[in-house]
Amino acid sequence: MFVPRPDHGDSAEAVVGGYAFSATLAIQDITGLATSGVSAPHIAKRLEPSAESEAMLFGLTSAQHLRPVTDVGYPELFADDLDDLDAWLFVSLPLLEDRGVIEANFTFDSKLAPLPGEPIPAAPWASALTLLDDLSVRLNRPTRQLWVTHTVNADEPPKVRDFGYVPAFREDQATFDASAVATLPGTSPCELDVVEGPGFSSRRTAAPEEVQQFSRLLTAASRDYPRGDLVMDTIEWDLARIRDAGARLNDRGGAQLTGLVYVDGEIVGLCEVVRYASGNPKVCELGLVYVLPGHRGRGIGSNMLRASLEQATHVWEDVETVYCSYPADAPAAKAVMRALDAEVVSATTAWQKY
């Protein structure tokens, strides 16, 4: 288990950098895109404590070394161990909702990662699943969710069903040219606005009751957004939580634009567009895109998406490519992706056990 201590210096940077390199290599092998990946500073920020979640990074190895034991009960991971690693397990513990859930992502170390088409080594998977089961018991989090990113038609990971996991949800990841939004409807019967920041962290002055409307909209999105069979609590949003989320995004080097759509003066939809300072300046990401059920089927979502991305390319002039994720079984999202000539580059399946 990696423990990010300030006095570790270069050793801590080497561990975080080793994981970031392996994670980037894995996703680039899947997508075939050089712009895919994750940076070491982004991983380091995720490992810092926050009110929202706690993250832990584990290295899986068959080598045995004398090491200090962490509070969780596992030997501590140092830079000297990197040559012996087979795989990594990044674990996240939600702290506000879903307190019975433990989430994890598995990644082969770059030295062991199979090339596309090669057999997948089963032993590291068995070790990771054993570790996840053990953590679930130690931390009293009985619901285990393992997120696996893969090619669209990939075989199932080895051992997951043997350990009692079943697929609970899948989302697809796609990319499209930012200029493609010009193909979406350019006029809307509704009022549209694109503001800087996550919701109401910008300098813009909100209209009366607008913050409450926005909070209700985010809560509705948490409740209604398709999640398959995943066990997930509804997030109850308020202004303090919106500001905290914005502060965390800014702390991780993220900048956000938020598209808002109004019907009769009330917010009924939102669209988030994010770019990270540590990422490729030519890339931005779509976050949450949501319209209240009673206002769907009128082109509102497409109008809002176009307005948000046009503003993004105006504010971030280097942006050329948009990354997005959406539920694999969502017909409306698929229709928009077809209109944008988006290319599905990967998929992520959430395997669950409880």
Side-chain angles (χ1 to χ4, degrees):
M1 177 180 175
F2 171 61
V3 179
R5 306 182 193 278
D7 57 342
H8 281 183
D10 293 344
S11 180
E13 290 184 10
V15 172
V16 173
Y19 173 67
F21 179 78
S22 294
T24 296
L25 178 65
I27 190 60
Q28 288 182 353
D29 280 346
I30 291 169
T31 66
L33 299 174
T35 51
S36 299
V38 61
S39 68
H42 185 75
I43 295 298
K45 281 295 182 183
R46 287 195 62 190
L47 288 168
E48 292 179 359
S50 78
E52 181 184 44
S53 65
E54 177 183 354
M56 298 184 289
L57 179 62
F58 293 86
L60 305 178
T61 176
S62 54
Q64 303 250 345
H65 301 291
L66 290 176
R67 293 288 184 264
V69 176
T70 66
D71 293 342
V72 184
Y74 298 95
E76 194 166 342
L77 179 67
F78 294 94
D80 291 345
D81 301 310
L82 296 182
D83 288 339
D84 299 318
L85 290 191
D86 293 335
W88 302 81
L89 195 70
F90 192 97
V91 173
S92 181
L93 307 174
L95 298 179
L96 300 178
E97 290 83 20
D98 302 312
R99 295 180 63 86
V101 173
I102 180 170
E103 303 170 348
N105 293 84
F106 172 92
T107 303
F108 277 110
D109 188 72
S110 57
K111 297 184 296 299
L112 190 67
L115 294 173
E118 289 186 343
I120 299 175
W125 272 100
S127 297
L129 293 164
T130 299
L131 171 60
L132 188 53
D133 281 351
D134 186 58
L135 284 168
S136 172
V137 174
R138 288 180 187 239
L139 303 175
N140 192 28
R141 288 179 175 258
T143 301
R144 285 146 268 195
Q145 295 172 352
L146 180 65
W147 294 78
V148 181
T149 300
H150 51 86
T151 56
V152 175
N153 297 313
D155 294 333
E156 294 180 354
K159 301 297 184 181
V160 286
R161 290 190 188 269
D162 294 342
F163 275 78
Y165 288 79
V166 296
F169 172 71
R170 170 175 156 163
E171 62 182 14
D172 288 342
Q173 290 82 45
T175 66
F176 57 89
D177 290 340
S179 60
V181 297
T183 63
L184 298 178
T187 59
S188 172
C190 309
E191 178 187 353
L192 290 168
D193 195 7
V194 183
V195 302
E196 294 184 8
F200 295 86
S201 66
S202 66
R203 292 182 293 272
R204 168 181 173 273
T205 301
E209 299 298 317
E210 196 172 64
V211 171
Q212 291 82 355
Q213 293 174 17
F214 189 67
S215 299
R216 289 194 296 269
L217 185 68
L218 286 174
T219 300
S222 173
R223 181 187 65 240
D224 299 338
Y225 203 78
R227 283 293 181 263
D229 295 324
L230 280 177
V231 174
M232 298 185 73
D233 295 333
T234 296
I235 299 174
E236 298 291 338
W237 287 88
D238 58 19
L239 181 58
R241 186 149 189 182
I242 294 168
R243 286 175 170 166
D244 287 346
R248 286 194 298 273
L249 177 68
N250 293 335
D251 190 47
R252 293 172 181 170
Q256 179 171 316
L257 299 174
T258 304
L260 304 172
V261 61
Y262 301 80
V263 173
D264 297 330
E266 182 173 352
I267 305 174
V268 300
L270 77 153
C271 173
E272 299 172 342
V273 188
V274 180
R275 190 174 74 156
Y276 288 94
S278 60
N280 189 315
K282 295 182 179 181
V283 171
C284 69
E285 303 174 16
L286 274 181
L288 176 65
V289 180
Y290 178 76
V291 176
L292 287 172
H295 297 276
R296 296 174 188 170
R298 301 166 52 193
I300 290 176
S302 296
N303 295 147
M304 180 176 62
L305 182 59
R306 174 170 176 164
S308 301
L309 288 174
E310 285 181 339
Q311 180 66 9
T313 56
H314 174 73
V315 175
W316 306 318
E317 296 180 355
D318 294 333
V319 165
E320 298 175 358
T321 303
V322 183
Y323 276 68
C324 61
S325 297
Y326 55 92
D329 58 353
K334 288 184 176 181
V336 173
M337 291 299 106
R338 284 194 298 270
L340 292 168
D341 198 24
E343 178 186 4
V344 177
V345 295
S346 64
T348 300
T349 299
W351 292 81
Q352 184 169 257
K353 174 180 177 180
Y354 57 91

